Amino acid sequence: MALIDPVLIKSRLGPLAGRFDLDALDECDSTSSELMRRSERGVPAGTVIVADRQSAGRGRRGRSWLSEAESGLTFSLLWRFSGPLSRLSGLSLAVGVALTRALENLGAVGVCLKWPNDVLLHHGGEYAKLAGVLVELSTDRRGTQAIIGIGLNLQAPSADLSLPAGGLSQALHALPDRHQVLAEILTTLAEVLETFAVDGFAAIKTDWQRRHAWQGQSVRIIAEQGESQAGLCLGVDDDGALLLETPGGVERIFSGDVSLRRA
Ligand code: ATP
Ligand code: BTN
């Protein structure tokens, strides 16, 4: 498979082509780290860096994102929002909605969301991680800048990971060309980020819950130190906090240092 060709992506983006400025690299440490360095030099909102290989792909909480050249898509998008940081709660959930919409538009079935930042594939009764979202925010006098990093497996990774991992090829009859996948994701991202910028996560919440893997089911929240809390997952709040029904009442869980697992 060839390196991503920005011209081909532009042609597939149609009227949205002017919103994105795409650079395709053979390799870098992390597309998000590279975009962060470029943002310090003032690159515009809508800049996208896609790389075939990352030598230090990053996940949430210092974890690694592993990918093999051409069997996945790893890219980062720079977006700017006016107003304070507090308006951006729920952004990584909104990005998850955009991703699942895009994959469904490509014909994928069984794609669902896991709070706060994963896209899962529900396949043969099991859940496997298909994609991860890493949102990194910073503020300056112009407002808030988000570096939105997305790693999507086109083929299930061969690496031994702590939780099951899947690939888009398992959700479709025929895997589309990577250009088509990336253009579809950028298109839905532009739509969802526009809605999010105006109305916040509240406007996307219902769609998130509809796609939520474990809505209304028993789950466990595991804290960094290992202690866990069980409850019924009621969904999410307008700011993206997870709502957990426990014997002591409904708790709002923030994404910081906890992990969600099926009970
Ligand atoms: P949680 O978000 O619930 O804490 P998680 O395992 O999804 O749990 P993240 O920090 O969101 O953790 O994601 C990083 C993790 O993703 C890594 O620790 C690794 O287990 C897993 N991972 C890394 N590369 C891939 C990949 N290509 N496909 C699927 N999973 C991967
Ligand atoms: C997660 O599941 O914790 C998030 C994974 C995000 C991985 C993507 S790959 C492109 C971008 N560059 C990175 O270093 N990380 C994100």
Side-chain angles (χ1 to χ4, degrees):
M1 224 184 279
L3 184 70
I4 293 283
D5 177 357
V7 177
L8 217 52
I9 298 281
K10 284 262 176 196
S11 70
R12 288 181 182 266
L13 283 171
L16 286 176
R19 303 280 300 275
F20 296 102
D21 189 355
L22 193 127
D23 193 8
L25 308 175
D26 278 323
E27 181 163 357
C28 65
D29 52 352
S30 143
T31 54
S32 291
S33 305
E34 176 62 21
L35 189 52
M36 211 169 284
R37 292 189 286 269
R38 292 191 192 186
S39 77
E40 281 156 19
R41 304 203 298 264
V43 292
T47 298
V48 178
I49 298 180
V50 52
D52 260 9
R53 279 176 299 275
Q54 295 186 119
S55 54
R58 298 185 284 110
R60 218 161 67 90
R61 298 157 69 191
R63 294 171 180 152
S64 309
W65 182 259
L66 303 174
S67 53
E68 291 142 35
E70 297 171 17
S71 53
L73 260 179
T74 48
F75 66 97
S76 301
L77 162 69
L78 177 71
W79 211 254
R80 290 210 171 87
F81 298 88
S82 56
L85 205 62
S86 54
R87 285 191 51 183
L88 298 194
S89 46
L91 178 57
S92 69
L93 282 77
V95 171
V97 168
L99 257 173
T100 52
R101 278 189 199 169
L103 301 181
E104 280 178 10
N105 291 346
L106 293 166
V109 287
V111 176
C112 52
L113 291 166
K114 169 176 166 277
W115 183 90
N117 68 325
D118 292 349
V119 176
L120 304 182
L121 182 61
H122 192 195
H123 186 68
E126 300 293 326
Y127 290 93
K129 181 160 167 175
L130 191 61
V133 175
L134 178 70
V135 171
E136 293 167 298
L137 302 172
S138 56
T139 42
D140 63 18
R141 61 192 150 67
R142 286 174 296 180
T144 304
Q145 161 186 295
I147 291 184
I148 299 168
I150 294 176
L152 166 69
N153 301 323
L154 299 180
Q155 307 289 349
S158 53
D160 197 13
L161 298 163
S162 55
L163 291 170
L168 184 60
S169 63
Q170 297 165 300
L172 288 163
H173 292 303
L175 198 57
D177 171 77
R178 287 199 302 167
H179 293 84
Q180 193 184 342
V181 178
L182 181 54
E184 189 61 46
I185 294 173
L186 293 177
T187 302
T188 55
L189 269 173
E191 285 164 15
V192 169
L193 292 176
E194 215 151 90
T195 304
F196 182 90
V198 177
D199 297 316
F201 179 67
I204 299 157
K205 181 178 90 169
T206 307
D207 201 3
W208 192 93
Q209 292 186 154
R210 195 170 65 74
R211 296 162 188 277
H212 180 198
W214 304 324
Q215 184 75 13
Q217 297 186 28
S218 296
V219 295
R220 270 183 310 132
I221 296 290
I222 306 167
E224 189 111 73
Q225 297 75 18
E227 65 275 21
S228 88
Q229 189 180 18
L232 199 67
C233 188
L234 300 181
V236 286
D237 224 340
D238 281 357
D239 60 358
L242 187 82
L243 297 173
L244 186 72
E245 188 179 60
T246 70
V250 176
E251 300 227 5
R252 277 164 47 81
I253 314 279
F254 297 93
S255 64
D257 286 340
V258 298
S259 296
L260 172 68
R261 296 289 178 267
R262 204 150 60 121

